[in-house]
Each structure stands twice: as C-alpha cells, then as structure tokens.
Amino acid sequence: MHDVIDIDDLTAAEIRDVYELTDDIKASPEAYHDSLSNETLLMFFAKPSTRTRVSFEAGMTQLGGHAIYFPEDQSQMSRGESLKDTAKVLSRYTDAIMARLFDHETMVELAEYADVPVINGLTDLLHPCQALSDVYTLREHGIDDGPLAFVGDGNNVAQSLMQLCATMDIPCRIATPSGYEPDAIIQDRVADADVTVTNDPVEAVSGAKAVYTDVFVSMGQSEEKTDAFEGYQVTPELMDHSDDAKFMHCLPAHRGEEVDAAVMDGPNSIVYDQAENRQHVQKAVLHRLLAD
C-alpha cells in the first residue's frame, strides 16, 4: 500500500492482511508500542471531527509515533498558498498525511503532489477508513457473510461500504429516498457485485444480519432535505424485518431522527464497537504504510 484514498486502492488480499494485523494489534498492543517510533503523521482537517482526530492521534501515540493536528484555517492555504506547495513542503517534514476534506478531487490532488503516503480521513464522496472499520466489526461479530443493509442517505459512508462489500463479496443492500441514491460512478463500480440499491427500506432490511444508518443531513449540507427521509428512520418495527440484525451507526447519531433510541441503545447495537475499531484498524493501516 502507498495511499488509502479509495477502497478501490486496496485488493481483497490487502484488506484481509490489514484485518489480520488488526487482530494482532488488539490482542497484543504492547508488541507494537515502538513500531512507529520517530514517525510523524500530519492530520490536515478542513472538516471538524471527534472520532477521526482522536483515533488517529491516539493510535499514532500508541504505536510510538507522533501526530500533528493541523486545521486548514490555521494553514497558509487559508491565505492562498497552493495545495501543491503545501503538499510538497509537508512531505519534507512528516512521514504521512491524513486529511479530512470536503471535495474528493482535492484529496486526489493532495495524494498526487505529496511524496509521503496519504490517507483519506473523509471526503464528501468517500469514507474508506470508516468502511474498513465497519467491515472489520462485522467480521468480529461473525456476520461478515451479510447481508448488510444501509438505510438513509446514499452518502460517503454508504458509498465506501458498497465498494468494500463488493471487494469482500458481502451482499449489500442500500435503501434511500428517491433522489438520494449513491453516486452513479460508485454504482457503476459495483455493478457486477451483490449490491442492490432500492427506495424500499423493508426490502433492504429483510433478512439482513446488520442494519446501518447515518445522519440524514451530513456536515455542510442543507437541513431542507430532512423531509425526504420520512419513513427511513431505523425503528424497532423496521428491525423486526431483519435476521435479528446488529445495529450500526458511524456516529454522531441523532436519536429520534435517523434512528429510534430503543434501537440505538438496545442490546443489538454495536455502534461503540465500530467506534473503537476505527482506532485499531487505522493503527494497522498506519503500520502497513510506515513500518513495512
């Protein structure tokens, strides 16, 4: 691996290798305490974050390295410095860059100009680190044979999940309101896989082993679209159509909007396992990028 910008940057074998290393890191964290000694990760943020920032920063520390939090509004890019110049200079100072951006093409451009590995911490199009952690969580719970159902907005999380499920041969069902389906480019990428896009939440959830949702309105988007999602809330009644499914959410969650509190806080919810696994999986990714 060199960059992790898009799930399609990774082969199934590379993903399995990351998961096996994650198993080792979780089982014997002390064995990896110095694996990234003297390595520095630059964390470039155009969007605020809780899980992405803390999981990467704490993960680098636990591997013996160092992470620098670098908000875009405190960089010279906020005063007009080019992305190319920024990427070239940061590559001279650090060993890897993790970026959380708006436009995906900016992420692609950053990786083009950087001379160190670049990790996509989120763009409006894709969220590969989240998807990697989610499927690892399915694997931990013994349900990575699917089906996985995603109900809500066909957003960056849904799109990376579709790609990862396609790569790992996991049946995936995406249910969105009309007009909020995943990007046609992503649908084309998974056209030959067992991935279905529907406007019917019951169809998607029926027989699923995991049911996933995300906020209806992502960061920086208009609140006006929430009316379109009436009937897409994950409720106990919707979950009854599943195969006693686990409930998943990438967080932050809005109880009473995209998910009923009884589901979010119920016995089948594995949302905190997902959140914890962000750190473990990303530690494995960092190890493969910087220590091998």
Side-chain angles (χ1 to χ4, degrees):
M1 293 192 298
H2 181 262
D3 297 317
V4 181
I5 304 300
D6 187 319
I7 290 298
D8 285 0
D9 293 335
L10 305 173
T11 66
E14 287 174 325
I15 293 166
R16 284 191 291 269
D17 175 66
V18 165
Y19 287 168
E20 289 167 6
L21 179 57
T22 304
D23 290 339
D24 289 343
I25 289 173
K26 288 190 74 171
S28 303
E30 67 283 351
Y32 295 88
H33 277 174
D34 297 318
S35 65
L36 295 186
S37 178
N38 296 319
E39 300 286 327
T40 299
L41 174 69
L42 189 288
M43 304 189 305
F44 189 82
F45 281 82
K47 280 188 173 186
S49 166
T50 296
R51 280 149 292 275
T52 298
R53 178 184 175 178
V54 177
S55 60
F56 270 106
E57 188 165 343
M60 276 298 288
T61 300
Q62 292 167 11
L63 294 172
H66 178 63
I68 299 171
Y69 175 61
F70 193 45
E72 183 182 34
D73 63 5
Q74 295 179 25
S75 76
Q76 292 295 338
M77 282 183 63
S78 67
R79 298 175 59 198
E81 184 170 24
S82 71
L83 180 62
K84 177 178 180 179
D85 290 348
T86 300
K88 290 293 185 184
V89 170
L90 294 178
S91 297
R92 301 290 181 102
Y93 297 153
T94 64
D95 301 289
I97 298 169
M98 185 281 296
R100 185 175 169 93
L101 308 175
F102 287 91
D103 183 58
H104 189 73
E105 290 309 310
T106 304
M107 184 73 69
V108 172
E109 187 180 359
L110 173 63
E112 177 185 351
Y113 292 131
D115 299 314
V116 296
V118 173
I119 301 169
N120 179 357
L122 175 143
T123 65
D124 286 348
L125 182 69
L126 298 173
H127 200 350
C129 290
Q130 182 69 55
L132 286 167
S133 304
D134 293 335
V135 171
Y136 179 81
T137 304
L138 292 175
R139 176 178 174 272
E140 267 193 330
H141 284 271
I143 52 174
D144 56 340
D145 55 346
L148 165 67
F150 183 97
V151 179
D153 186 15
N155 62 11
N156 48 9
V157 173
Q159 290 172 167
S160 285
L161 280 170
M162 292 166 65
Q163 290 181 278
L164 188 48
C165 286
T167 300
M168 304 306 287
D169 295 321
I170 301 170
C172 181
R173 314 285 179 255
I174 308 290
T176 76
S178 179
Y180 295 95
E181 294 88 354
D183 192 293
I185 293 173
I186 305 300
Q187 292 197 55
D188 286 346
R189 291 185 187 181
V190 301
D192 295 331
D194 189 0
V195 177
T196 302
V197 177
T198 177
N199 300 128
D200 184 350
V202 173
E203 178 186 353
V205 167
S206 294
K209 294 184 180 178
V211 175
Y212 199 132
T213 193
D214 191 4
V215 295
F216 290 155
V217 179
S218 296
M219 196 180 307
Q221 296 181 340
S222 170
E223 295 284 344
E224 294 176 2
K225 76 178 190 179
T226 54
D227 291 345
F229 287 85
E230 185 175 351
Y232 286 82
Q233 184 186 79
V234 178
T235 61
E237 292 75 22
L238 183 62
M239 293 291 286
D240 284 343
H241 293 280
S242 73
D243 184 13
D244 193 31
K246 300 296 185 183
F247 173 71
M248 305 179 76
H249 196 303
C250 56
L251 304 179
H254 297 161
R255 291 165 177 81
E257 293 184 17
E258 74 275 5
V259 59
D260 192 280
V263 176
M264 176 71 185
D265 302 314
N268 281 18
S269 176
I270 57 173
V271 299
Y272 302 121
D273 292 347
Q274 292 175 259
E276 177 185 340
N277 283 332
R278 285 288 303 276
Q279 184 178 66
H280 302 305
V281 172
Q282 288 162 186
K283 286 166 70 174
V285 169
L286 288 165
H287 191 280
R288 282 290 177 254
L289 290 172
L290 297 176
D292 293 346

